[in-house]
Amino acid sequence: MAAAALPVLPPQFKSIQHHLRTGQELDKREPVVAYYCRLYAMQTGMKLDSKTPECRKFLSKLMDQLETMKKQLGDNEAITQEIVGCAHVENYALKMFLYADNEDRAGRFHKNMIKSFYTASLLIDVLTVFGELTEENVQHRKYSRWKAAYIHNCLRNGETPQPGPIGMEGEDYDDDDREVGLSVLPGQVSQLSTSTAEPSDMPTSNYTGIHIPPGAHAPANTPAEVPHSTGEVRLTPEDFARAQKYCKYAGSALQYEDVSTAVQNLQKALKLLTTGRE
């Protein structure tokens, strides 16, 4: 589902160039994710500059792309229902993160895993089109960006990266280190950059404060027993909506054969429905 070419990116939109490139790379194999990458770029671009002629022209063409894609995707639930779209993008971001994290922990450092870490962080940016990020996603984004920059810098300097969530005592990143320039996939040469990260997202010293959620790098353990409800549980409409959300997430995870994520979300839904608590 190739989209029509866009005009030259105005300098004002530099911070969204990698989200747009990710959308372009995913056009064929993940059109839904590609659509939301462009939607994020559109919404962010509108906030950055919607008045200067070159920016207005670019945003107009991007809007045309979005409308075309929306028609092509038809009645796809991930487009017509935000909760399904959010689950779809989130699960794909997690898939990228888990691949890179597993490679990292196994000590297999290469360009594709750097690319996957960074792409995961970009897709978590994209999740903001659906609302505020969860704390877990905020942590995944910080960790992914740090890992992409750290591993790239080590390889560039001929050093062996340390696997896993280590503390980076005294490790500083200057402006040059924020550019991760490399050829990442066959036929895809791109200039990966952490310039989209806010300065607060880039570590300047110890990074041990970043929390990687349990099970982020391995299959979930045996599911914990879900507490049985005691007495009558009064569920609110919001409870039912949250339970439905968890079931949607589980369904989306199964599309990727991600059993552990599906089980975790079904457990959350069951616990909420039986106890009235999350």
Side-chain angles (χ1 to χ4, degrees), residues 105-179:
R105 291 170 188 269
R108 294 188 292 265
F109 305 107
H110 49 85
K111 292 177 180 180
N112 281 1
M113 62 94 75
I114 297 173
K115 165 79 169 181
S116 293
F117 265 133
Y118 190 67
T119 300
S121 77
L122 295 177
L123 295 179
I124 294 174
D125 285 340
V126 172
L127 287 174
T128 60
V129 304
F130 304 104
E132 189 175 351
L133 294 177
T134 64
E135 181 60 27
E136 182 179 63
N137 281 331
V138 170
Q139 297 295 340
H140 272 118
R141 180 172 63 179
K142 288 182 179 181
Y143 185 75
S144 295
R145 281 188 174 142
W146 166 64
K147 268 294 181 179
Y150 165 69
I151 295 171
H152 168 70
N153 290 341
C154 285
L155 297 182
R156 181 184 62 184
N157 297 329
E159 302 169 358
T160 301
Q162 296 184 51
I166 56 174
M168 298 297 296
E169 296 289 352
E171 185 74 26
D172 293 319
Y173 293 90
D174 57 29
D175 289 337
D176 291 336
D177 290 331
R178 296 188 179 188
E179 290 297 322

Side-chain angles (χ1 to χ4, degrees), residues 14-161:
K14 181 181 179 182
S15 66
I16 59 174
Q17 63 181 326
H18 303 294
H19 303 85
L20 288 168
R21 181 177 288 119
T22 298
Q24 185 177 7
E25 292 174 353
L26 294 176
D27 268 334
K28 292 183 178 179
R29 65 180 182 271
E30 279 293 336
V32 169
V33 180
Y35 171 83
Y36 283 113
C37 285
R38 289 183 172 89
L39 182 59
Y40 169 83
M42 180 74 190
Q43 292 181 355
T44 305
M46 292 288 289
K47 295 174 185 176
L48 291 171
D49 189 339
S50 61
K51 296 182 178 180
T52 56
E54 65 270 26
C55 290
R56 287 172 66 91
K57 179 182 178 182
F58 186 89
L59 291 173
S60 176
K61 293 294 184 182
L62 182 55
M63 189 176 294
D64 289 343
Q65 274 194 358
L66 284 166
E67 288 300 317
T68 299
M69 292 186 74
K70 199 168 186 179
K71 290 178 181 178
Q72 290 174 331
L73 292 168
D75 57 356
N76 189 312
E77 272 195 334
I79 299 297
T80 60
Q81 297 185 37
E82 280 196 357
I83 191 170
V84 182
C86 180
H88 191 94
V89 176
E90 187 171 24
N91 280 322
Y92 192 75
L94 182 60
K95 181 182 178 182
M96 300 291 286
F97 175 83
L98 290 176
Y99 164 74
D101 192 51
N102 286 332
E103 290 294 284
D104 173 44
R105 291 170 188 269
R108 294 188 292 265
F109 305 107
H110 49 85
K111 292 177 180 180
N112 281 1
M113 62 94 75
I114 297 173
K115 165 79 169 181
S116 293
F117 265 133
Y118 190 67
T119 300
S121 77
L122 295 177
L123 295 179
I124 294 174
D125 285 340
V126 172
L127 287 174
T128 60
V129 304
F130 304 104
E132 189 175 351
L133 294 177
T134 64
E135 181 60 27
E136 182 179 63
N137 281 331
V138 170
Q139 297 295 340
H140 272 118
R141 180 172 63 179
K142 288 182 179 181
Y143 185 75
S144 295
R145 281 188 174 142
W146 166 64
K147 268 294 181 179
Y150 165 69
I151 295 171
H152 168 70
N153 290 341
C154 285
L155 297 182
R156 181 184 62 184
N157 297 329
E159 302 169 358
T160 301

